[in-house]
Amino acid sequence: MQPQYRPADIEKQAQAEWDEKRAARAVEDPARPKYYCLSMFPYPSGKLHMGHVRNYTIGDVLARYHRMRGHNVLQPMGWDAFGLPAENAAMANGVPPAKWTYDNIAYMKQQLKSLGFAIDWERELATCRPEYYRWNQWLFLRMLEKGLAYKTTGVVNWDPVDQTVLANEQVIDGRGWRTGAPVEKREIPMYYLKITAYADELLQGLEALAEWPERVRLMQSNWIGRSEGVEVAFPYAHDPVQALKVFTTRADTLLGATYCALAAEHPLAAQAARDKPELAAFVEACKRGAVMEAELATQEKKGMPTGLHVLHPLTGKKLPLWVANYVLMGYGEGAVMAVPAHDQRDFEFATRYGLPIKPVIRTSAGETTPAPWRDAYAEHGTLINSGKYDGLDFQGAVDAIAADLARKGLGRKRIQYRLRDWGISRQRYWGCPIPIVHCPQCGDVPVPDAQLPVVLPEDCVPDGTGNPLNRRADFVNTRCPKCGQPARRETDTMDTFVDSSWYYIRYACPDNERAMVDERVRYWLPVDQYIGGIEHAILHLLYSRFWTRVMRDLGLVRFDEPFSRLLTQGMVLNEIFFRKRGSGRITYYNPADVDIRTDERGNRIGAALKADGLPLESGGIGTMSKSKNNGVDPQALVDQYGADTARFFMMFTSPPEQTLAWSDSGVEGSYRFLRRVWAFAADYQGNVRPQVRSGALAQVALDAKLAAVRREVHLNVKQANYDMQRQQFNTVASACMKILNALEGVPRNPPAIGAGAAAVIEEGVSILLRLQAPITPHLSHHLWRELGFGEDVFDAPWPEAEEGALEQKEVELVLQINGKTRGSIRVPSDATREAIEQAALVSPVAQKHIAGIPVKKVVVVPGRLVNVVAQ
RNA sequence: GCCGGGAUGGCGGAACUGGUAGACGCACGGGACUCAAAAUCCCGCGCCUUCACGGGCGUGCGAGUUCGAUUCUCGCUCCCGGCACCA
């Protein structure tokens, strides 16, 4: 064989063979256990970034590993092809989003192929294709029929200069990103999906997702935000027949309510502002303000009295009614009762505006509420200053107060969710058209199934001023499906989260032109393993869980949860280097163009630009991005080192769930390892293999040294198997390196090599090639055949540790004196607890440390340590 | 602000259920090979102290539980992800 490792050659060769054999093609086969391994599909942004490489390498490692374990594996790929960046690219270059998108797909597909992923390309799909999105439209119509989709108004960011709706991302410090004009809020009609109808089920379902990361389940649970509380009605002082409804989880503090507050969007606020210009101005200012929750929550708390009052439902006392910017219209009733003594936000607000503060709970912190605020005031406790409720605890008080309110018809217990319905209307061109026709006679008319798909014209070029579909007469002008009269098509498109909420189902049957799903879905779904970025922990995953349940209730699928096991991968980061110009402008330099200077111990002392040798400032570490110029092009990596090195490095350098900090020298290390594997294989072929006799290992007695090597190999096989199970791939890669290190320790100078050594090496090489095959498929595939182990390494059995190889006669135990490690003792591996204690006590190390001191006790941890406690 | 996560040598990380902290790799230092360089191989490598044996300290910070804590509990600091129209 070739003495030099040439990844370019063997990778091209292996990929051609796999293509030829359709090696990754998945065919339904009820006789074999199926394994549906899915990585989140990419947005075709132009070229692959490191996050993609990481994601798809993890997926491919799992797919190939399960293939070797005998599963029928499906690993598909597609394109999340609708979205905003295509419109931005169109504006910048004058190219239609469709062309830009299809070009990107073609390029990225070839990149994915060069990385050697075992993807079944025959199932490829793109969400911007009518044959895909027609089923978005079809299901949307079913949801309309069932009342799961509905139309109401929603608030959007409006750029008054460009006359267009902006995404949150396009709003920078409250201004339009292109025009710089202050962004306004607008209420427009939009379609919503009733995810709240499934709130409880989505919450309950989390419990069954045992193989999801705990943190994701927690985040989803908090996002759904179920709270038990009481709906309380505060009658209007000016019209006690009507009442202001609020929701509270702290009905026990009702007697401490000193005012009520409304969101600016609350109808009562508008009513109160009618003849009060100052209030009207405040309400308007609030409405103009932030849309994003993060901004709303951090803004300064402001408010204004409405002049109206409400009556306390239990005492009848008049309480002032305020408008406050910290009350959210989207949660509960859009109004709150304020208890400044026991809620921090209310406290800050009351303090600022001189509203009364009345303590009604005795907490561990004390009875009254002096400023400043302490968190303890928000805790549950015993009621005080609450008349007949005094002395009750939290639950007792809530029950009693809710009962009294119910008797008066002024309240009831209720469950409230934080989750809101999903607004899917986007005033954008590059998305799936919403299949509705607006008829002057008949109103909003759903497009009949027979007329689906409503096809998006692919030749529009957006210019940033509104949705270009509005200017496409051939799209907009149509006839009403009901009355046949001229009518207008809806030009809003769907949120791209709709596209990604069910693509994993369509992979089972992408070619079915007649139905959204077919019987193949029953074979492949649910997804056994889903892999993607942690940033999708809530929205995408929750929408998919919701959409799956809708499809289930329509009889389309038979499972509740789409993803049985989830791996959330960390982000890929890199260093940031920059210089400040005289003008204060910052120029960023790519880490590839930077020299790191270190002292003689390897400590960094500075960084300089290669081009001019002058120093650069370090901006720390951050996600790879264009703006910080710290991206590493995976293509360059593959071109220089090959796909296997890129894959191995990705797996080795960090556990999959953690953020990964890029390092060029680390890549070198991975490449060096693969070269060593190659060199060792060449040496094996030339010098060892001729000495191997069949069944050698069973026939030769290994001396202690060889037995130790073999034990090391099998220990690492055991470790690698355990780590594969728990998906900690970095230590699988480590295990491969340790195996090679052990094998290299066997002397193998010809002709001295003995039968035992040859047998141990042969077994070790065979194990190593299989163990790293999922990570470095090209190398393993090539060497497996070249060394005569078999035709295809992926048809070979997955290596398992042999218990016999792990046994040893003696074990070394750590010897601790009073919890401090002082040495070690060797004992027979079957030594009793008493024998171990004795061996420890008589050991010279113990004698030295405990001489003359009485031994209190001896702790023995079998196989690990002995701790002699003396005092 | 709210929700979730993280922090271990110069660096990436390992330590499985509370049991030898630093596996494996990178960087760095020394050496071998070479006319030389690259590649490769060997040795060293947490910090302080010691000629050495050894000793002390050490897993973001401060407490606690335990024979024993990177691991468990409580209180902080800093960093990262999400917050509903980026995907």
Side-chain angles (χ1 to χ4, degrees), chain A residues 80 168-169 222 298 418 420 426-428 600 603 653 665 672 675 726 730 737-738 864 867:
Chain A
D80 189 11
N168 284 340
E169 188 193 49
N222 291 334
T298 46
R418 206 187 75 96
R420 305 200 296 261
R426 297 291 180 268
Q427 298 67 46
R428 301 245 171 72
E600 71 286 351
N603 298 324
T653 197
S665 50
R672 194 173 303 153
R675 279 204 312 255
R726 60 172 178 159
N730 54 326
M737 290 171 146
K738 288 178 184 175
R864 288 200 180 267
N867 185 12

XYZ file of all heavy atoms in Angstrom, chain A residues 80 168-169 222 298 418 420 426-428 600 603 653 665 672 675 726 730 737-738 864 867, chain B residues 1 3 10 12 14-16 19-20 23-26 28 40 47 67 83-87:
665
model
N -34.081 24.361 4.406
C -35.046 25.275 5.012
C -34.984 26.554 4.183
O -34.348 27.523 4.560
C -34.611 25.529 6.464
C -35.658 26.283 7.248
O -36.793 26.437 6.755
O -35.332 26.731 8.355
N -38.115 41.682 13.853
C -37.452 42.195 15.060
C -35.962 42.430 14.801
O -35.379 43.391 15.284
C -37.610 41.205 16.217
C -39.004 41.258 16.815
O -39.726 42.249 16.633
N -39.386 40.213 17.519
N -35.371 41.506 14.048
C -33.950 41.585 13.757
C -33.588 42.857 12.990
O -32.461 43.332 13.044
C -33.561 40.358 12.925
C -32.085 40.203 12.697
C -31.795 39.161 11.620
O -32.417 39.235 10.536
O -30.977 38.287 11.877
N -41.151 26.105 31.225
C -41.280 27.486 31.667
C -41.878 28.379 30.590
O -42.540 29.371 30.887
C -39.913 28.039 32.096
C -39.421 27.384 33.367
O -40.220 26.910 34.175
N -38.114 27.343 33.537
N -36.921 45.344 30.286
C -35.800 46.083 30.859
C -36.042 47.588 30.879
O -35.264 48.320 31.470
C -34.501 45.805 30.072
O -34.776 45.902 28.683
C -33.965 44.438 30.390
N -48.627 31.022 30.008
C -47.836 32.110 29.455
C -47.789 32.000 27.925
O -47.645 32.996 27.211
C -46.415 32.021 30.012
C -45.643 33.314 30.058
C -44.214 33.048 30.477
N -43.459 32.449 29.384
C -42.694 33.133 28.541
N -42.535 34.420 28.692
N -42.049 32.523 27.565
N -48.533 31.834 24.122
C -49.483 32.567 23.293
C -49.693 31.826 21.978
O -48.846 31.044 21.553
C -48.946 33.970 22.983
C -48.586 34.772 24.195
C -48.548 36.254 23.875
N -47.512 36.607 22.905
C -46.328 37.113 23.246
N -46.031 37.291 24.514
N -45.458 37.440 22.321
N -46.798 36.641 7.598
C -45.615 37.485 7.382
C -45.879 38.327 6.143
O -46.276 37.777 5.108
C -44.365 36.634 7.166
C -43.994 35.777 8.365
C -43.501 36.607 9.533
N -43.158 35.778 10.659
C -44.010 35.464 11.634
N -45.265 35.900 11.603
N -43.613 34.722 12.640
N -45.570 39.601 6.250
C -45.813 40.491 5.117
C -44.576 40.484 4.233
O -43.920 41.476 4.015
C -46.148 41.907 5.618
C -47.417 41.960 6.462
C -47.263 41.227 7.790
O -46.267 41.386 8.485
N -48.256 40.418 8.147
N -44.239 39.267 3.760
C -42.997 39.054 3.018
C -43.283 38.251 1.783
O -44.241 37.487 1.719
C -42.014 38.242 3.857
C -41.688 38.872 5.112
C -40.244 39.269 5.195
N -40.157 40.063 6.391
C -40.255 39.502 7.593
N -40.287 38.200 7.706
N -40.277 40.255 8.638
N 8.398 31.476 26.675
C 9.016 30.152 26.577
C 8.186 29.071 27.278
O 8.441 27.895 27.112
C 10.464 30.183 27.111
C 10.614 30.337 28.618
C 10.314 31.768 29.087
O 10.162 32.676 28.232
O 10.207 31.955 30.291
N 2.845 30.667 27.401
C 1.838 31.673 27.764
C 1.761 32.728 26.682
O 2.794 33.198 26.190
C 2.213 32.362 29.078
C 2.263 31.379 30.221
O 1.469 30.444 30.273
N 3.201 31.578 31.123
N -12.463 17.560 19.836
C -12.026 18.746 20.558
C -12.970 19.197 21.660
O -12.582 19.950 22.541
C -11.773 19.902 19.567
O -10.994 20.896 20.207
C -13.063 20.495 19.076
N -4.260 24.710 15.543
C -3.233 23.741 15.916
C -3.876 22.425 16.346
O -3.292 21.364 16.180
C -2.350 24.303 17.024
O -3.130 24.804 18.067
N -2.314 14.679 12.450
C -1.141 13.905 12.859
C -1.572 12.504 13.307
O -0.942 11.512 12.962
C -0.444 14.626 14.011
C 0.941 14.139 14.337
C 1.599 15.048 15.372
N 1.657 16.431 14.912
C 1.685 17.492 15.722
N 1.630 17.333 17.030
N 1.741 18.713 15.224
N -2.464 10.384 10.336
C -1.230 9.958 9.644
C -0.573 8.806 10.387
O -0.039 7.879 9.783
C -0.251 11.139 9.551
C -0.558 12.077 8.411
C 0.691 12.859 7.981
N 1.400 13.449 9.087
C 1.369 14.756 9.393
N 0.664 15.593 8.666
N 2.057 15.211 10.422
N -23.664 7.387 25.659
C -24.029 8.671 26.257
C -23.654 9.851 25.355
O -23.716 10.990 25.757
C -23.389 8.821 27.635
C -21.893 8.761 27.644
C -21.351 9.106 29.025
N -19.899 9.001 29.037
C -19.107 9.597 29.915
N -19.631 10.347 30.856
N -17.811 9.456 29.853
N -16.067 12.991 22.124
C -14.671 13.402 22.280
C -13.861 12.316 22.974
O -12.693 12.104 22.652
C -14.563 14.736 23.032
C -15.280 14.722 24.368
O -16.302 14.080 24.505
N -14.745 15.422 25.339
N -7.202 7.062 20.139
C -5.801 7.475 20.268
C -5.066 6.615 21.291
O -3.910 6.225 21.083
C -5.736 8.945 20.690
C -6.181 9.901 19.593
S -6.317 11.578 20.254
C -5.810 12.527 18.818
N -5.765 6.310 22.378
C -5.118 5.494 23.420
C -4.837 4.080 22.909
O -3.816 3.477 23.255
C -6.008 5.425 24.656
C -6.067 6.730 25.439
C -7.022 6.579 26.619
C -7.184 7.869 27.373
N -8.201 7.741 28.449
N -10.797 0.564 44.271
C -10.386 1.961 44.123
C -9.399 2.423 45.193
O -8.273 2.753 44.889
C -11.601 2.875 44.132
C -12.412 2.776 42.872
C -13.282 3.999 42.715
N -14.069 3.930 41.512
C -13.677 4.464 40.358
N -12.517 5.072 40.289
N -14.429 4.367 39.297
N -8.934 4.272 52.788
C -8.683 5.502 53.533
C -8.558 5.145 55.014
O -9.506 4.651 55.615
C -9.836 6.495 53.307
C -9.560 7.846 53.957
O -8.442 8.118 54.380
N -10.589 8.676 54.034
P -31.006 42.600 35.396
O -30.512 41.274 35.548
O -30.495 43.576 34.481
O -32.589 42.475 35.115
C -33.540 42.948 36.060
C -34.892 42.534 35.548
O -35.045 43.017 34.187
C -35.092 41.034 35.434
O -35.584 40.506 36.647
C -36.100 40.902 34.311
O -37.420 41.135 34.769
C -35.693 42.054 33.390
N -34.781 41.663 32.314
C -33.482 42.060 32.165
N -32.919 41.585 31.089
C -33.918 40.817 30.496
C -33.901 40.057 29.300
O -32.969 39.912 28.507
N -35.116 39.425 29.067
C -36.212 39.536 29.891
N -37.307 38.858 29.509
N -36.245 40.245 31.015
C -35.078 40.855 31.245
P -36.667 33.632 36.531
O -37.370 32.943 37.622
O -35.314 34.185 36.753
O -36.572 32.634 35.291
C -37.714 31.900 34.874
C -37.381 31.129 33.624
O -37.094 32.053 32.542
C -36.116 30.293 33.692
O -36.301 29.084 34.399
C -35.820 30.090 32.223
O -36.716 29.163 31.648
C -36.123 31.488 31.676
N -34.903 32.330 31.670
C -34.008 32.171 30.607
O -34.271 31.354 29.716
N -32.882 32.922 30.568
C -32.631 33.797 31.544
N -31.503 34.505 31.468
C -33.519 33.970 32.652
C -34.636 33.223 32.667
P -1.966 28.108 34.252
O -0.708 28.264 34.980
O -3.156 28.911 34.629
O -1.675 28.296 32.696
C -1.319 29.565 32.197
C -1.405 29.555 30.695
O -0.229 28.917 30.130
C -2.546 28.752 30.092
O -3.769 29.440 30.170
C -2.059 28.579 28.665
O -2.213 29.752 27.920
C -0.569 28.314 28.893
N -0.265 26.878 28.962
C 0.342 26.199 30.005
N 0.483 24.925 29.765
C -0.061 24.743 28.493
C -0.184 23.564 27.700
O 0.151 22.414 27.981
N -0.809 23.835 26.480
C -1.242 25.067 26.078
N -1.817 25.111 24.877
N -1.123 26.168 26.794
C -0.532 25.938 27.990
P -9.511 26.757 27.152
O -10.676 27.642 27.035
O -9.087 26.242 28.477
O -9.741 25.482 26.217
C -10.159 25.668 24.876
C -10.379 24.326 24.230
O -9.116 23.628 24.099
C -11.230 23.347 25.025
O -12.610 23.638 24.905
C -10.845 22.027 24.369
O -11.452 21.901 23.112
C -9.333 22.229 24.181
N -8.589 21.686 25.322
C -8.188 22.373 26.444
N -7.563 21.619 27.306
C -7.554 20.361 26.725
C -7.025 19.139 27.190
O -6.436 18.905 28.250
N -7.230 18.103 26.295
C -7.871 18.236 25.079
N -7.978 17.137 24.350
N -8.381 19.383 24.629
C -8.185 20.391 25.502
P -14.946 16.849 28.727
O -15.958 16.032 28.038
O -15.358 17.825 29.733
O -13.877 15.862 29.379
C -13.453 14.732 28.635
C -12.625 13.827 29.484
O -11.413 14.494 29.914
C -13.241 13.384 30.794
O -14.162 12.340 30.571
C -12.017 12.895 31.560
O -11.599 11.635 31.082
C -10.978 13.928 31.137
N -10.783 14.996 32.115
C -11.154 16.308 32.033
N -10.797 17.025 33.070
C -10.141 16.110 33.889
C -9.523 16.243 35.142
N -9.452 17.391 35.814
N -8.970 15.130 35.677
C -9.046 13.978 34.991
N -9.593 13.735 33.814
C -10.132 14.857 33.310
P -15.417 12.206 31.489
O -16.150 11.016 31.023
O -16.094 13.517 31.577
O -14.794 11.906 32.925
C -14.168 10.667 33.172
C -13.574 10.692 34.560
O -12.513 11.672 34.612
C -14.526 11.142 35.650
O -15.372 10.089 36.056
C -13.558 11.572 36.740
O -12.991 10.460 37.387
C -12.478 12.257 35.903
N -12.752 13.692 35.771
C -13.455 14.345 34.789
N -13.531 15.639 34.955
C -12.816 15.859 36.133
C -12.517 17.018 36.859
N -12.918 18.233 36.496
N -11.798 16.883 37.993
C -11.405 15.667 38.360
N -11.621 14.498 37.760
C -12.331 14.661 36.640
P -16.600 10.430 36.972
O -16.867 11.889 36.960
O -16.379 9.713 38.238
O -17.747 9.664 36.193
C -18.844 10.326 35.574
C -19.793 9.237 35.157
O -19.106 8.364 34.224
C -20.235 8.338 36.304
O -21.569 7.916 36.058
C -19.313 7.136 36.220
O -19.870 5.943 36.721
C -19.119 7.042 34.711
N -17.835 6.422 34.335
C -17.861 5.142 33.793
O -18.955 4.572 33.631
N -16.694 4.548 33.439
C -15.551 5.189 33.621
N -14.439 4.572 33.259
C -15.504 6.492 34.175
C -16.661 7.077 34.526
P -17.073 9.344 43.025
O -17.037 10.351 41.956
O -17.723 8.049 42.829
O -15.588 9.084 43.508
C -14.716 10.189 43.705
C -13.430 9.699 44.328
O -13.663 9.310 45.700
C -12.831 8.485 43.640
O -11.427 8.572 43.786
C -13.352 7.324 44.484
O -12.529 6.193 44.435
C -13.314 7.947 45.883
N -14.280 7.422 46.837
C -15.462 6.793 46.590
N -16.116 6.488 47.673
C -15.305 6.943 48.714
C -15.468 6.910 50.099
O -16.423 6.463 50.730
N -14.417 7.473 50.782
C -13.311 8.012 50.182
N -12.383 8.512 50.986
N -13.127 8.068 48.869
C -14.161 7.511 48.202
P -10.535 9.224 42.649
O -10.748 10.671 42.685
O -10.706 8.454 41.416
O -9.080 8.910 43.219
C -8.677 9.425 44.487
C -7.240 9.849 44.408
O -6.438 8.704 44.040
C -6.948 10.913 43.334
O -5.909 11.751 43.813
C -6.436 10.091 42.169
O -5.576 10.806 41.307
C -5.664 9.013 42.909
N -5.493 7.787 42.130
C -4.203 7.422 41.811
O -3.228 8.059 42.158
N -4.099 6.282 41.082
C -5.119 5.488 40.641
O -4.886 4.479 39.990
C -6.444 5.930 40.998
C -6.579 7.046 41.719
P -3.085 14.270 32.168
O -1.919 14.144 33.057
O -3.124 15.325 31.143
O -3.347 12.875 31.452
C -3.426 11.677 32.207
C -4.452 10.745 31.620
O -5.783 11.246 31.919
C -4.429 10.634 30.096
O -3.462 9.704 29.651
C -5.857 10.168 29.800
O -5.983 8.777 30.048
C -6.651 10.955 30.833
N -7.151 12.222 30.298
C -6.846 13.486 30.712
N -7.455 14.429 30.031
C -8.221 13.732 29.116
C -9.111 14.162 28.118
N -9.366 15.434 27.862
N -9.718 13.216 27.373
C -9.451 11.926 27.636
N -8.638 11.407 28.552
C -8.050 12.372 29.265
P -2.395 10.099 28.548
O -1.651 8.871 28.198
O -1.676 11.305 29.004
O -3.310 10.525 27.316
C -4.010 9.550 26.552
C -4.866 10.238 25.516
O -5.946 10.955 26.183
C -4.159 11.334 24.717
O -3.398 10.803 23.652
C -5.345 12.166 24.238
O -6.036 11.521 23.192
C -6.217 12.161 25.492
N -5.885 13.300 26.379
C -6.453 14.559 26.090
O -7.199 14.664 25.106
N -6.162 15.612 26.889
C -5.334 15.440 27.932
N -5.070 16.503 28.693
C -4.744 14.181 28.236
C -5.045 13.141 27.439
P -2.013 11.468 23.263
O -1.458 10.669 22.157
O -1.207 11.720 24.478
O -2.457 12.899 22.707
C -3.072 12.996 21.441
C -3.669 14.368 21.248
O -4.508 14.697 22.384
C -2.719 15.551 21.184
O -2.042 15.634 19.953
C -3.701 16.686 21.379
O -4.490 16.872 20.226
C -4.597 16.108 22.487
N -4.113 16.555 23.805
C -3.424 15.847 24.757
N -3.126 16.576 25.795
C -3.641 17.837 25.510
C -3.630 19.045 26.253
O -3.141 19.264 27.369
N -4.279 20.078 25.578
C -4.853 19.958 24.348
N -5.421 21.063 23.858
N -4.873 18.840 23.636
C -4.264 17.829 24.283
P -0.650 16.361 19.849
O -0.169 16.158 18.477
O 0.199 15.994 21.003
O -1.053 17.890 20.034
C -1.850 18.538 19.052
C -2.174 19.942 19.505
O -2.826 19.899 20.794
C -0.966 20.833 19.757
O -0.430 21.342 18.553
C -1.601 21.912 20.621
O -2.380 22.792 19.849
C -2.525 21.082 21.515
N -1.874 20.734 22.788
C -1.765 21.742 23.756
O -2.219 22.861 23.483
N -1.175 21.470 24.932
C -0.706 20.258 25.179
N -0.126 20.042 26.361
C -0.797 19.199 24.212
C -1.384 19.481 23.042
P 4.802 25.715 19.885
O 5.261 26.870 19.081
O 4.965 24.338 19.387
O 5.480 25.788 21.325
C 5.477 26.995 22.074
C 5.967 26.731 23.473
O 5.103 25.758 24.130
C 7.344 26.092 23.573
O 8.385 27.027 23.387
C 7.303 25.518 24.980
O 7.448 26.522 25.961
C 5.876 24.980 25.034
N 5.817 23.559 24.627
C 6.163 22.582 25.577
O 6.493 22.951 26.709
N 6.124 21.280 25.229
C 5.756 20.933 23.997
N 5.725 19.636 23.700
C 5.402 21.902 23.010
C 5.443 23.200 23.362
P 4.990 14.678 12.277
O 3.588 14.225 12.372
O 5.463 15.827 13.082
O 5.955 13.460 12.585
C 5.750 12.205 11.953
C 6.897 11.280 12.257
O 8.144 11.878 11.789
C 7.160 11.036 13.735
O 6.288 10.065 14.270
C 8.617 10.578 13.723
O 8.729 9.244 13.275
C 9.202 11.516 12.653
N 9.784 12.734 13.245
C 11.052 12.663 13.812
O 11.686 11.629 13.846
N 11.533 13.832 14.337
C 10.900 15.057 14.353
O 11.459 16.028 14.859
C 9.589 15.059 13.751
C 9.083 13.929 13.229
P 3.607 24.687 36.434
O 4.208 25.614 35.463
O 4.361 23.493 36.883
O 3.184 25.511 37.742
C 2.510 26.757 37.613
C 2.176 27.282 38.987
O 1.257 26.359 39.634
C 3.355 27.337 39.958
O 4.139 28.491 39.777
C 2.645 27.310 41.308
O 2.082 28.568 41.617
C 1.511 26.316 41.025
N 1.875 24.931 41.396
C 1.804 24.576 42.743
O 1.467 25.433 43.566
N 2.110 23.305 43.102
C 2.475 22.415 42.179
N 2.762 21.176 42.583
C 2.561 22.761 40.794
C 2.255 24.024 40.445
P -17.714 11.798 58.723
O -18.041 10.517 59.348
O -17.750 13.062 59.493
O -16.269 11.672 58.061
C -15.115 11.698 58.893
C -13.902 11.340 58.069
O -13.979 9.931 57.703
C -13.784 12.057 56.728
O -13.205 13.330 56.881
C -12.905 11.098 55.938
O -11.546 11.212 56.302
C -13.435 9.742 56.407
N -14.489 9.195 55.529
C -14.127 8.676 54.277
O -12.934 8.722 53.934
N -15.070 8.158 53.476
C -16.347 8.133 53.892
N -17.251 7.605 53.064
C -16.745 8.642 55.152
C -15.794 9.161 55.936
P -35.175 34.242 20.438
O -35.956 33.991 19.212
O -33.985 35.109 20.393
O -36.143 34.815 21.551
C -37.408 34.212 21.788
C -38.062 34.830 22.983
O -37.201 34.686 24.136
C -38.286 36.330 22.908
O -39.437 36.628 22.139
C -38.459 36.684 24.372
O -39.733 36.328 24.842
C -37.414 35.775 25.018
N -36.129 36.497 25.213
C -35.990 37.262 26.371
O -36.938 37.289 27.175
N -34.849 37.946 26.585
C -33.869 37.879 25.689
N -32.765 38.568 25.938
C -33.979 37.103 24.492
C -35.126 36.431 24.298
P -39.512 38.006 21.351
O -38.153 38.506 21.054
O -40.493 38.874 21.999
O -40.135 37.475 20.007
C -39.574 36.337 19.356
C -40.664 35.313 19.057
O -41.038 34.621 20.274
C -41.934 35.923 18.497
O -42.435 35.086 17.462
C -42.908 35.860 19.673
O -44.257 35.768 19.293
C -42.451 34.586 20.355
N -42.873 34.581 21.738
C -42.468 35.399 22.753
N -43.113 35.197 23.873
C -43.991 34.193 23.582
C -44.963 33.525 24.353
N -45.208 33.815 25.614
N -45.676 32.541 23.754
C -45.434 32.259 22.476
N -44.551 32.814 21.638
C -43.860 33.783 22.268
P -43.134 35.762 16.212
O -44.099 36.795 16.628
O -43.555 34.595 15.447
O -41.945 36.486 15.442
C -40.873 35.732 14.925
C -40.093 36.574 13.941
O -41.003 36.993 12.888
C -39.548 37.857 14.556
O -38.381 38.232 13.835
C -40.613 38.870 14.246
O -40.155 40.192 14.214
C -41.004 38.404 12.840
N -42.330 38.828 12.432
C -42.430 39.634 11.301
O -41.398 39.938 10.693
N -43.641 40.046 10.891
C -44.723 39.683 11.575
N -45.887 40.125 11.141
C -44.644 38.873 12.744
C -43.437 38.470 13.137
P -37.013 37.535 14.214
O -37.150 36.615 15.330
O -36.105 38.681 14.312
O -36.652 36.709 12.900
C -36.205 37.350 11.723
C -34.915 36.715 11.255
O -33.935 36.843 12.299
C -35.007 35.223 10.993
O -35.402 34.996 9.673
C -33.584 34.762 11.234
O -32.798 34.930 10.069
C -33.083 35.740 12.290
N -33.029 35.173 13.648
C -31.890 34.446 14.017
O -31.002 34.300 13.180
N -31.816 33.929 15.270
C -32.807 34.128 16.119
N -32.698 33.610 17.337
C -33.965 34.861 15.764
C -34.038 35.359 14.532
P -36.429 33.813 9.332
O -36.822 33.983 7.925
O -37.442 33.774 10.397
O -35.523 32.523 9.452
C -34.510 32.229 8.488
C -33.571 31.219 9.099
O -33.089 31.751 10.356
C -34.215 29.890 9.463
O -34.183 28.989 8.373
C -33.362 29.411 10.634
O -32.186 28.778 10.187
C -32.985 30.723 11.314
N -33.863 31.037 12.458
C -35.116 31.559 12.444
N -35.634 31.733 13.641
C -34.644 31.291 14.502
C -34.556 31.210 15.909
N -35.534 31.576 16.733
N -33.425 30.718 16.447
C -32.442 30.334 15.615
N -32.393 30.364 14.281
C -33.544 30.855 13.779
